């Protein structure tokens, strides 16, 4: 995805980290395979290892096709392959936008406005995301950086407020059922990580070398996810496994001196983080549509993508996307492998083969 607007590599790191931390905030053990609470902590390390492996196609893309996004790489093989790759990523980002909005509506409808219809809130949310996406990548990069700082502030406040409620007795023995549940939970977390697809499309639009930023981002993911899950399970114990949103349940219990209702702070950060993520996904869809079809419609692509999200979400109440969160691990892993691993893998392999043939011709 070539263009004049670029962002710094650390801004991209903030956007990707923020996007992934939103998935951690919306973590829900309800409907998932039951496991010992302490097993969730080593599972984060397993997830980080798998996420590193899932980023390998992005590393190869950066190494052998610097300055190209994944659709540009596909174009070196065939224009038709490039269009097919564009469509694949558009569908992937559209579904991920639907999933993010559906998850937000579930949270808003069950926690924030349990007695009111959340449709109007979702309408305003998507319209605001369209406006933010129309401002361009540079604005989204700045917004992501600011939002991450706010996230860190909220995390620090809740951490301090929960310190006196931590009881290690609440953590069940780790590895009591072996290593299999830990790797299963790690794979479950890793297959909810869509950031490799975002990075594959945005690589030409960043200034700087992403290697160090990726290492820092992965380290931050491990630290924050380990910390969040520790406070959740050491503070709530097995009770956390019965909560739809256990991170929010922890924020409800948190209090420090005269300061209470940290759940309101977390809710604001949660909504703001989702706003940045949805705006970025809408922006990516719009840019890929321009590349696939025509530049003329311009911002109408944003309206089209947002309209599709609203139509599906408001008419079907999230049923189309909610299954993604209750779908078995095996079929979800297959879908993830096809769209985020197989497609870029095939494109890179074909492009490298063609590049090698040209060098030896």
């Amino acid at each position: 995805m070539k263009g004049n607007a670029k962002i710094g590599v650390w801004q991209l790191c903030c956007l990707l980290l923020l996007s992934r931390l939103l998935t951690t905030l919306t973590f829900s053990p309800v409907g998932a395979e039951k496991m010992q609470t302490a097993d969730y902590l080593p599972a984060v390390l397993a997830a980080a290892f798998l996420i590193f492996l899932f980023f390998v196609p992005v590393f190869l893309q950066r190494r052998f096709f610097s300055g190209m996004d994944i659709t540009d790489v596909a174009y070196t093989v065939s224009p038709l392959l490039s269009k097919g790759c564009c469509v694949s990523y558009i569908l992937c980002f559209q579904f991920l936008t639907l999933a993010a909005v559906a998850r937000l509506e579930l949270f808003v409808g069950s926690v924030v406005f349990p007695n009111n219809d959340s449709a109007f809130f979702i309408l305003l949310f998507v319209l605001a995301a369209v406006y933010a996406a129309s401002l361009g990548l540079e604005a989204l990069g700045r917004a992501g950086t600011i939002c991450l700082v706010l996230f860190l502030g909220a995390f620090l406040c809740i951490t301090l407020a929960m310190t006196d409620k931590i009881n290690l007795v609440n953590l069940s023995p780790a590895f009591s059922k072996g290593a299999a549940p830990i790797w299963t939970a790690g794979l479950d977390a890793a297959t909810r990580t869509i950031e490799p697809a975002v990075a594959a499309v945005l690589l030409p639009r960043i200034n700087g070398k992403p290697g160090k930023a990726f290492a820092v981002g992965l380290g931050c993911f491990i630290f924050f996810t380990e910390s969040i899950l520790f406070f959740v399970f050491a503070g709530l114990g097995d009770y956390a496994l019965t909560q739809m949103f256990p991170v929010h349940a922890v924020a409800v219990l948190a209090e420090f001196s005269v300061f209470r209702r940290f759940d309101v702070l977390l809710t604001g950060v949660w909504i703001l983080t989702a706003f940045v993520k949805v705006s970025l996904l809408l922006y990516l869809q719009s840019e890929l549509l321009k590349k696939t079809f025509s530049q003329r419609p311009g911002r109408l692509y944003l309206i089209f993508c947002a309209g599709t999200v609203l139509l599906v979400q408001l008419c079907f109440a999230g049923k189309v996307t909610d299954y993604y969160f209750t779908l078995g691990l095996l079929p979800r892993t297959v879908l993830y492998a096809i769209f985020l691993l197989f497609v870029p893998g095939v494109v890179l392999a074909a492009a490298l083969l063609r590049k090698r043939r040209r060098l030896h011709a």
Side-chain angles (χ1 to χ4, degrees):
M1 183 185 297
K2 297 178 181 179
N4 295 324
K6 290 194 173 186
I7 59 174
V9 66
W10 292 106
Q11 287 181 312
L12 176 65
C13 178
C14 289
L15 283 172
L16 298 184
L17 179 60
L18 198 66
S19 173
R20 187 56 188 80
L21 289 177
L22 176 65
T23 306
T24 301
L25 288 178
T26 58
F27 157 72
S28 178
V30 176
E33 183 178 348
K34 300 299 181 184
M35 58 184 291
Q36 300 298 318
T37 54
D39 283 344
Y40 279 96
L41 301 180
V44 176
L45 299 178
F49 173 74
L50 292 173
I51 290 171
F52 174 81
L53 295 181
F54 293 165
F55 264 94
V56 167
V58 180
F59 300 151
L60 295 176
Q61 178 185 331
R62 176 74 178 185
R63 171 67 177 82
F64 294 104
F65 301 97
S66 180
M68 293 185 182
D69 67 27
I70 191 66
T71 62
D72 296 326
V73 176
Y75 193 85
T76 65
V77 179
S78 163
L80 184 61
L81 180 62
S82 179
K83 288 188 178 296
C85 186
C86 275
V87 171
S88 173
Y89 274 81
I90 290 168
L91 293 175
C92 178
F93 290 143
Q94 174 73 189
F95 179 79
L96 294 170
T97 307
L98 285 164
V101 173
R103 201 64 164 172
L104 179 65
E105 184 174 29
L106 178 62
F107 171 71
V108 171
S110 59
V111 176
V112 183
F113 305 120
N115 299 319
N116 298 295
D117 187 3
S118 57
F120 184 67
F121 172 83
I122 293 300
L123 175 62
L124 292 179
F125 176 86
V126 173
L127 289 177
V130 169
Y131 174 73
S134 69
L135 297 178
L137 186 59
E138 293 173 307
L140 291 175
R142 291 191 294 270
T145 304
I146 295 171
C147 185
L148 185 60
V149 172
L150 295 176
F151 175 90
L152 296 180
F155 174 79
L156 179 61
C157 291
I158 294 173
T159 298
L160 291 175
M162 277 296 296
T163 302
D164 62 338
K165 294 180 175 61
I166 297 301
N167 189 344
L168 297 182
V169 176
N170 290 330
L171 293 173
S172 57
F175 296 99
S176 61
K177 296 183 179 179
I182 292 172
W183 282 104
T184 300
L187 180 61
D188 181 80
T191 52
R192 298 180 192 273
T193 305
I194 56 92
E195 287 66 40
V198 176
V201 175
L202 284 181
L203 274 181
R205 303 287 291 274
I206 62 173
N207 291 316
K209 298 181 179 179
K212 185 182 294 186
F214 171 78
V216 172
L218 189 61
C220 290
F221 161 75
I222 294 173
F223 172 76
F224 285 116
T225 305
E226 290 278 17
S227 301
I228 290 170
L229 293 182
F230 173 77
F231 279 96
V232 165
F233 292 115
L236 301 179
D238 290 337
Y239 175 70
L241 299 177
T242 66
Q243 298 299 296
M244 178 65 72
F245 299 109
V247 178
H248 180 266
V250 165
V252 171
L253 294 177
E255 57 182 42
F256 181 73
S257 185
V258 297
F259 299 100
R260 290 175 174 82
R261 294 306 305 270
F262 282 102
D263 57 310
V264 176
L265 177 63
L266 179 66
T267 297
V269 172
W270 186 334
I271 293 173
L272 183 59
T273 304
F275 170 73
V276 174
K277 181 173 184 175
V278 169
S279 299
L280 178 62
L281 290 173
L282 289 174
Y283 171 81
L284 292 173
Q285 292 169 63
S286 173
E287 292 297 302
L288 287 173
L289 283 169
K290 291 178 184 178
K291 196 166 192 175
T292 307
F293 299 103
S294 171
Q295 293 279 341
R296 286 184 180 179
R299 293 180 180 178
L300 290 179
Y301 285 131
L302 277 175
I303 298 174
F304 170 76
C305 295
T308 303
V309 169
L310 283 174
L311 180 65
V312 174
Q313 184 61 30
L314 298 181
C315 294
F316 298 97
K319 290 182 175 60
V320 174
T321 52
D322 281 350
Y323 91 95
Y324 181 71
F325 298 98
T326 56
L327 190 65
L329 179 59
L330 179 59
R332 179 153 47 80
T333 301
V334 171
L335 288 173
Y336 187 93
I338 290 174
F339 284 97
L340 275 80
L341 299 176
F342 179 75
V343 170
V346 168
V347 168
L348 289 170
L352 284 171
L353 183 61
R354 189 174 183 86
K355 186 177 183 179
R356 181 172 296 180
R357 286 179 178 175
R358 286 178 177 175
L359 290 175
H360 293 285

